[in-house]
Short mmCIF file of all heavy atoms in Angstrom, two decimals:
data_model
loop_
_atom_site.label_atom_id
_atom_site.label_comp_id
_atom_site.label_asym_id
_atom_site.label_seq_id
_atom_site.Cartn_x
_atom_site.Cartn_y
_atom_site.Cartn_z
N TRP A 1 -6.05 -3.31 0.61
CA TRP A 1 -5.56 -3.36 2.02
C TRP A 1 -6.34 -4.07 2.99
O TRP A 1 -7.58 -4.02 3.00
CB TRP A 1 -5.44 -1.88 2.50
CG TRP A 1 -4.42 -1.08 1.71
CD1 TRP A 1 -4.75 -0.26 0.62
CD2 TRP A 1 -3.08 -0.86 1.88
NE1 TRP A 1 -3.59 0.33 0.16
CE2 TRP A 1 -2.62 0.02 0.99
CE3 TRP A 1 -2.21 -1.40 2.86
CZ2 TRP A 1 -1.21 0.38 0.89
CZ3 TRP A 1 -0.75 -1.09 2.80
CH2 TRP A 1 -0.43 -0.18 1.83
N TYR A 2 -5.71 -4.92 3.71
CA TYR A 2 -6.22 -5.62 4.83
C TYR A 2 -5.52 -5.26 6.13
O TYR A 2 -4.37 -4.74 6.03
CB TYR A 2 -5.96 -7.12 4.60
CG TYR A 2 -6.90 -7.78 3.53
CD1 TYR A 2 -6.71 -7.55 2.20
CD2 TYR A 2 -7.93 -8.59 3.87
CE1 TYR A 2 -7.30 -8.04 1.20
CE2 TYR A 2 -8.74 -9.19 2.75
CZ TYR A 2 -8.49 -8.90 1.50
OH TYR A 2 -9.25 -9.42 0.46
N ARG A 3 -6.13 -5.51 7.17
CA ARG A 3 -5.42 -5.29 8.58
C ARG A 3 -5.71 -6.27 9.53
O ARG A 3 -6.69 -7.02 9.53
CB ARG A 3 -5.96 -3.83 9.04
CG ARG A 3 -7.31 -3.86 9.47
CD ARG A 3 -7.79 -2.39 10.00
NE ARG A 3 -9.12 -2.28 10.50
CZ ARG A 3 -9.74 -1.23 10.63
NH1 ARG A 3 -9.12 0.01 10.38
NH2 ARG A 3 -11.02 -1.17 11.17
N GLN A 4 -4.85 -6.47 10.49
CA GLN A 4 -4.95 -7.41 11.60
C GLN A 4 -4.45 -6.90 12.78
O GLN A 4 -3.25 -6.48 13.00
CB GLN A 4 -4.03 -8.64 11.25
CG GLN A 4 -4.31 -9.81 12.15
CD GLN A 4 -3.74 -11.11 11.54
OE1 GLN A 4 -2.75 -11.13 10.88
NE2 GLN A 4 -4.29 -12.26 12.07
N ALA A 5 -5.37 -6.71 13.79
CA ALA A 5 -5.12 -6.24 15.12
C ALA A 5 -4.67 -7.41 15.99
O ALA A 5 -5.02 -8.61 15.65
CB ALA A 5 -6.34 -5.61 15.68
N PRO A 6 -3.91 -7.27 17.06
CA PRO A 6 -3.51 -8.32 17.93
C PRO A 6 -4.68 -9.05 18.38
O PRO A 6 -5.65 -8.68 18.95
CB PRO A 6 -2.86 -7.51 19.15
CG PRO A 6 -2.43 -6.21 18.51
CD PRO A 6 -3.52 -5.85 17.53
N GLY A 7 -4.49 -10.41 18.26
CA GLY A 7 -5.61 -11.48 18.62
C GLY A 7 -6.77 -11.39 17.71
O GLY A 7 -7.79 -12.09 18.14
N LYS A 8 -6.79 -10.70 16.65
CA LYS A 8 -8.00 -10.66 15.80
C LYS A 8 -7.62 -11.25 14.46
O LYS A 8 -6.53 -11.39 14.03
CB LYS A 8 -8.27 -9.15 15.52
CG LYS A 8 -8.70 -8.43 16.89
CD LYS A 8 -10.15 -8.89 17.29
CE LYS A 8 -10.58 -8.09 18.49
NZ LYS A 8 -11.95 -8.48 19.01
N GLN A 9 -8.64 -11.52 13.67
CA GLN A 9 -8.61 -12.08 12.38
C GLN A 9 -8.33 -10.95 11.40
O GLN A 9 -8.76 -9.82 11.47
CB GLN A 9 -9.91 -12.80 11.96
CG GLN A 9 -9.82 -13.61 10.71
CD GLN A 9 -11.11 -14.30 10.46
OE1 GLN A 9 -12.14 -13.92 10.78
NE2 GLN A 9 -11.11 -15.37 9.75
N ARG A 10 -7.49 -11.25 10.28
CA ARG A 10 -7.25 -10.27 9.31
C ARG A 10 -8.60 -10.02 8.47
O ARG A 10 -9.32 -10.90 8.17
CB ARG A 10 -6.24 -10.87 8.32
CG ARG A 10 -5.73 -9.85 7.25
CD ARG A 10 -4.62 -10.35 6.34
NE ARG A 10 -3.41 -10.82 7.24
CZ ARG A 10 -2.27 -11.09 6.65
NH1 ARG A 10 -2.16 -11.18 5.41
NH2 ARG A 10 -1.29 -11.50 7.50
N GLU A 11 -8.85 -8.66 8.30
CA GLU A 11 -10.03 -8.24 7.57
C GLU A 11 -9.70 -7.24 6.51
O GLU A 11 -8.75 -6.60 6.44
CB GLU A 11 -10.90 -7.57 8.69
CG GLU A 11 -10.29 -6.35 9.26
CD GLU A 11 -11.24 -5.68 10.34
OE1 GLU A 11 -12.26 -6.28 10.61
OE2 GLU A 11 -10.80 -4.49 10.88
N LEU A 12 -10.63 -7.26 5.48
CA LEU A 12 -10.54 -6.32 4.45
C LEU A 12 -10.88 -4.96 4.85
O LEU A 12 -11.85 -4.67 5.62
CB LEU A 12 -11.54 -6.73 3.35
CG LEU A 12 -11.72 -5.62 2.23
CD1 LEU A 12 -10.48 -5.74 1.27
CD2 LEU A 12 -12.90 -6.07 1.30
N VAL A 13 -10.03 -4.00 4.44
CA VAL A 13 -10.23 -2.54 4.78
C VAL A 13 -10.76 -1.86 3.56
O VAL A 13 -11.80 -1.14 3.67
CB VAL A 13 -8.89 -1.85 5.22
CG1 VAL A 13 -9.14 -0.37 5.50
CG2 VAL A 13 -8.31 -2.54 6.54
N ALA A 14 -10.01 -1.96 2.46
CA ALA A 14 -10.45 -1.35 1.21
C ALA A 14 -9.86 -2.06 0.06
O ALA A 14 -8.72 -2.58 0.25
CB ALA A 14 -10.08 0.17 1.16
N ALA A 15 -10.55 -2.10 -1.09
CA ALA A 15 -10.00 -2.62 -2.24
C ALA A 15 -10.46 -1.89 -3.46
O ALA A 15 -11.51 -1.22 -3.45
CB ALA A 15 -10.55 -4.08 -2.48
N ILE A 16 -9.77 -2.04 -4.56
CA ILE A 16 -10.14 -1.19 -5.79
C ILE A 16 -9.77 -1.98 -6.99
O ILE A 16 -8.71 -2.62 -7.14
CB ILE A 16 -9.29 0.18 -5.82
CG1 ILE A 16 -9.71 1.01 -6.97
CG2 ILE A 16 -7.72 0.01 -5.82
CD1 ILE A 16 -9.18 2.44 -6.94
N SER A 17 -10.65 -2.06 -7.92
CA SER A 17 -10.47 -2.73 -9.21
C SER A 17 -9.50 -1.99 -10.14
O SER A 17 -9.33 -0.87 -9.92
CB SER A 17 -11.87 -3.01 -9.88
OG SER A 17 -12.42 -1.79 -10.35
N ARG A 18 -9.22 -2.64 -11.24
CA ARG A 18 -8.36 -1.95 -12.35
C ARG A 18 -9.12 -0.83 -12.90
O ARG A 18 -8.45 0.29 -13.22
CB ARG A 18 -8.00 -3.01 -13.32
CG ARG A 18 -7.16 -2.35 -14.49
CD ARG A 18 -6.84 -3.39 -15.54
NE ARG A 18 -5.98 -4.40 -15.00
CZ ARG A 18 -5.53 -5.43 -15.86
NH1 ARG A 18 -5.90 -5.58 -17.09
NH2 ARG A 18 -4.79 -6.36 -15.25
N GLY A 19 -10.39 -0.84 -12.92
CA GLY A 19 -11.22 0.20 -13.38
C GLY A 19 -11.53 1.39 -12.47
O GLY A 19 -12.20 2.35 -12.85
N GLY A 20 -11.08 1.25 -11.22
CA GLY A 20 -11.27 2.22 -10.25
C GLY A 20 -12.36 2.14 -9.30
O GLY A 20 -12.70 3.13 -8.60
N ILE A 21 -13.11 1.05 -9.37
CA ILE A 21 -14.24 0.89 -8.40
C ILE A 21 -13.75 0.40 -7.12
O ILE A 21 -13.07 -0.64 -6.97
CB ILE A 21 -15.25 -0.10 -9.06
CG1 ILE A 21 -15.75 0.36 -10.35
CG2 ILE A 21 -16.46 -0.41 -8.04
CD1 ILE A 21 -16.66 -0.64 -11.14
N ALA A 22 -14.10 1.09 -6.08
CA ALA A 22 -13.58 0.94 -4.67
C ALA A 22 -14.76 0.23 -3.85
O ALA A 22 -15.88 0.47 -4.01
CB ALA A 22 -13.07 2.06 -4.04
N LYS A 23 -14.27 -0.54 -2.79
CA LYS A 23 -15.13 -0.97 -1.85
C LYS A 23 -14.38 -0.85 -0.47
O LYS A 23 -13.20 -0.96 -0.36
CB LYS A 23 -15.65 -2.44 -1.98
CG LYS A 23 -14.45 -3.49 -2.14
CD LYS A 23 -14.93 -4.84 -2.38
CE LYS A 23 -13.82 -5.85 -2.49
NZ LYS A 23 -14.26 -7.17 -2.93
N TYR A 24 -15.19 -0.70 0.65
CA TYR A 24 -14.69 -0.39 1.96
C TYR A 24 -15.38 -1.19 3.00
O TYR A 24 -16.57 -1.43 2.95
CB TYR A 24 -14.82 1.02 2.23
CG TYR A 24 -14.10 1.99 1.34
CD1 TYR A 24 -14.63 2.55 0.19
CD2 TYR A 24 -12.71 2.38 1.57
CE1 TYR A 24 -14.05 3.44 -0.62
CE2 TYR A 24 -12.12 3.25 0.65
CZ TYR A 24 -12.75 3.71 -0.39
OH TYR A 24 -11.97 4.58 -1.23
N LYS A 25 -14.68 -1.40 4.07
CA LYS A 25 -15.24 -1.89 5.27
C LYS A 25 -16.25 -0.77 5.86
O LYS A 25 -15.84 0.32 5.74
CB LYS A 25 -14.17 -2.31 6.32
CG LYS A 25 -14.56 -2.61 7.76
CD LYS A 25 -13.44 -3.00 8.59
CE LYS A 25 -13.91 -3.18 10.04
NZ LYS A 25 -14.74 -4.34 10.13
N ASP A 26 -17.30 -1.14 6.39
CA ASP A 26 -18.27 -0.27 6.79
C ASP A 26 -17.72 0.85 7.73
O ASP A 26 -17.98 2.05 7.65
CB ASP A 26 -19.47 -0.86 7.43
CG ASP A 26 -20.40 -1.54 6.36
OD1 ASP A 26 -20.22 -1.26 5.22
OD2 ASP A 26 -21.25 -2.32 6.79
N SER A 27 -16.87 0.45 8.71
CA SER A 27 -16.40 1.38 9.74
C SER A 27 -15.34 2.40 9.19
O SER A 27 -15.03 3.34 9.97
CB SER A 27 -15.81 0.45 10.87
OG SER A 27 -14.64 -0.19 10.43
N VAL A 28 -14.86 2.13 8.09
CA VAL A 28 -13.87 3.23 7.53
C VAL A 28 -14.48 4.06 6.39
O VAL A 28 -13.74 4.99 5.91
CB VAL A 28 -12.62 2.46 7.02
CG1 VAL A 28 -12.11 1.54 8.02
CG2 VAL A 28 -12.81 1.81 5.61
N LYS A 29 -15.68 3.82 6.06
CA LYS A 29 -16.41 4.58 4.93
C LYS A 29 -16.41 6.04 5.43
O LYS A 29 -16.87 6.42 6.38
CB LYS A 29 -17.71 3.93 4.65
CG LYS A 29 -17.67 2.62 3.87
CD LYS A 29 -19.22 2.20 3.60
CE LYS A 29 -19.15 0.93 2.88
NZ LYS A 29 -20.53 0.35 2.70
N GLY A 30 -16.13 6.99 4.47
CA GLY A 30 -16.04 8.34 4.64
C GLY A 30 -14.81 8.78 5.28
O GLY A 30 -14.63 10.03 5.36
N ARG A 31 -14.06 8.01 5.78
CA ARG A 31 -12.68 8.35 6.47
C ARG A 31 -11.44 7.91 5.65
O ARG A 31 -10.47 8.67 5.61
CB ARG A 31 -12.62 7.68 7.79
CG ARG A 31 -13.62 8.13 8.73
CD ARG A 31 -13.34 7.58 10.22
NE ARG A 31 -13.39 6.23 10.22
CZ ARG A 31 -12.38 5.54 10.72
NH1 ARG A 31 -11.24 6.07 11.05
NH2 ARG A 31 -12.43 4.15 10.82
N PHE A 32 -11.57 6.65 5.04
CA PHE A 32 -10.42 6.17 4.19
C PHE A 32 -10.78 6.31 2.75
O PHE A 32 -11.87 6.15 2.18
CB PHE A 32 -10.18 4.73 4.56
CG PHE A 32 -9.70 4.46 5.97
CD1 PHE A 32 -9.62 5.48 6.89
CD2 PHE A 32 -9.27 3.19 6.22
CE1 PHE A 32 -9.11 5.23 8.17
CE2 PHE A 32 -8.75 2.99 7.56
CZ PHE A 32 -8.67 4.00 8.46
N THR A 33 -9.65 6.46 1.84
CA THR A 33 -9.78 6.41 0.50
C THR A 33 -8.78 5.64 -0.12
O THR A 33 -7.52 5.90 0.07
CB THR A 33 -9.74 7.96 -0.15
OG1 THR A 33 -10.83 8.74 0.44
CG2 THR A 33 -9.96 7.94 -1.75
N VAL A 34 -9.06 4.69 -0.98
CA VAL A 34 -8.09 3.86 -1.68
C VAL A 34 -7.94 4.33 -3.07
O VAL A 34 -8.93 4.71 -3.72
CB VAL A 34 -8.42 2.36 -1.66
CG1 VAL A 34 -9.74 2.04 -2.39
CG2 VAL A 34 -7.31 1.51 -2.18
N SER A 35 -6.70 4.29 -3.60
CA SER A 35 -6.39 4.63 -4.97
C SER A 35 -5.34 3.86 -5.65
O SER A 35 -4.65 3.17 -4.81
CB SER A 35 -6.07 6.26 -5.11
OG SER A 35 -4.91 6.47 -4.30
N ARG A 36 -5.25 3.85 -6.94
CA ARG A 36 -4.17 3.03 -7.49
C ARG A 36 -3.66 3.64 -8.74
O ARG A 36 -4.27 4.52 -9.41
CB ARG A 36 -4.62 1.64 -7.78
CG ARG A 36 -5.71 1.54 -8.87
CD ARG A 36 -6.23 0.13 -9.01
NE ARG A 36 -5.28 -0.81 -9.65
CZ ARG A 36 -5.47 -2.07 -9.90
NH1 ARG A 36 -6.69 -2.66 -9.39
NH2 ARG A 36 -4.59 -2.85 -10.56
N ASP A 37 -2.42 3.29 -9.18
CA ASP A 37 -1.81 3.74 -10.42
C ASP A 37 -1.47 2.45 -11.21
O ASP A 37 -0.41 1.78 -10.83
CB ASP A 37 -0.67 4.58 -10.29
CG ASP A 37 0.00 5.15 -11.39
OD1 ASP A 37 -0.04 4.54 -12.55
OD2 ASP A 37 0.50 6.27 -11.39
N ASN A 38 -2.23 2.08 -12.16
CA ASN A 38 -2.08 0.86 -12.81
C ASN A 38 -0.70 0.73 -13.57
O ASN A 38 -0.11 -0.33 -13.63
CB ASN A 38 -3.10 0.57 -13.95
CG ASN A 38 -4.55 0.47 -13.32
OD1 ASN A 38 -4.67 0.07 -12.15
ND2 ASN A 38 -5.54 0.79 -13.95
N ALA A 39 -0.22 1.84 -14.19
CA ALA A 39 1.02 1.88 -14.85
C ALA A 39 2.29 1.67 -13.90
O ALA A 39 3.25 1.09 -14.25
CB ALA A 39 1.25 3.20 -15.55
N LYS A 40 2.12 2.03 -12.70
CA LYS A 40 3.21 1.93 -11.68
C LYS A 40 3.07 0.62 -10.75
O LYS A 40 3.89 0.52 -9.95
CB LYS A 40 3.39 3.17 -10.88
CG LYS A 40 3.78 4.33 -11.66
CD LYS A 40 3.97 5.68 -10.81
CE LYS A 40 4.41 6.83 -11.61
NZ LYS A 40 4.58 7.98 -10.84
N ASN A 41 2.04 -0.01 -10.93
CA ASN A 41 1.62 -1.10 -10.02
C ASN A 41 1.68 -0.71 -8.49
O ASN A 41 2.30 -1.29 -7.65
CB ASN A 41 2.72 -2.29 -10.26
CG ASN A 41 2.21 -3.29 -11.31
OD1 ASN A 41 1.35 -3.04 -11.98
ND2 ASN A 41 2.94 -4.45 -11.24
N THR A 42 1.02 0.36 -8.23
CA THR A 42 0.96 0.93 -6.88
C THR A 42 -0.50 1.13 -6.42
O THR A 42 -1.43 1.24 -7.23
CB THR A 42 1.67 2.28 -6.69
OG1 THR A 42 1.08 3.19 -7.54
CG2 THR A 42 3.10 2.14 -7.14
N VAL A 43 -0.70 1.01 -5.17
CA VAL A 43 -1.95 1.24 -4.51
C VAL A 43 -1.62 1.93 -3.14
O VAL A 43 -0.75 1.75 -2.47
CB VAL A 43 -2.81 -0.04 -4.18
CG1 VAL A 43 -1.99 -0.97 -3.23
CG2 VAL A 43 -4.20 0.22 -3.73
N SER A 44 -2.57 2.98 -2.84
CA SER A 44 -2.37 3.82 -1.69
C SER A 44 -3.64 3.76 -0.80
O SER A 44 -4.82 3.58 -1.36
CB SER A 44 -2.04 5.29 -2.10
OG SER A 44 -0.86 5.31 -2.74
N LEU A 45 -3.53 4.12 0.40
CA LEU A 45 -4.63 4.26 1.35
C LEU A 45 -4.50 5.47 2.19
O LEU A 45 -3.69 5.55 2.98
CB LEU A 45 -4.85 3.00 2.27
CG LEU A 45 -5.99 2.92 3.17
CD1 LEU A 45 -7.30 2.80 2.29
CD2 LEU A 45 -5.89 1.84 4.17
N GLN A 46 -5.39 6.40 1.82
CA GLN A 46 -5.37 7.74 2.61
C GLN A 46 -6.34 7.49 3.78
O GLN A 46 -7.51 7.27 3.61
CB GLN A 46 -5.97 8.94 1.76
CG GLN A 46 -5.96 10.25 2.57
CD GLN A 46 -4.59 10.74 3.04
OE1 GLN A 46 -3.57 10.67 2.25
NE2 GLN A 46 -4.50 11.11 4.25
#
């Protein structure tokens, strides 16, 4: 997931590999959780 605020550059929020390894923007760590279902080709962001 990426996000773009008005007048701002698009930035990475969270990403997850096929194996389930996630990375986050520092400001959302501890608040956001990214997950995926490989069989369904879906990704979610809590």
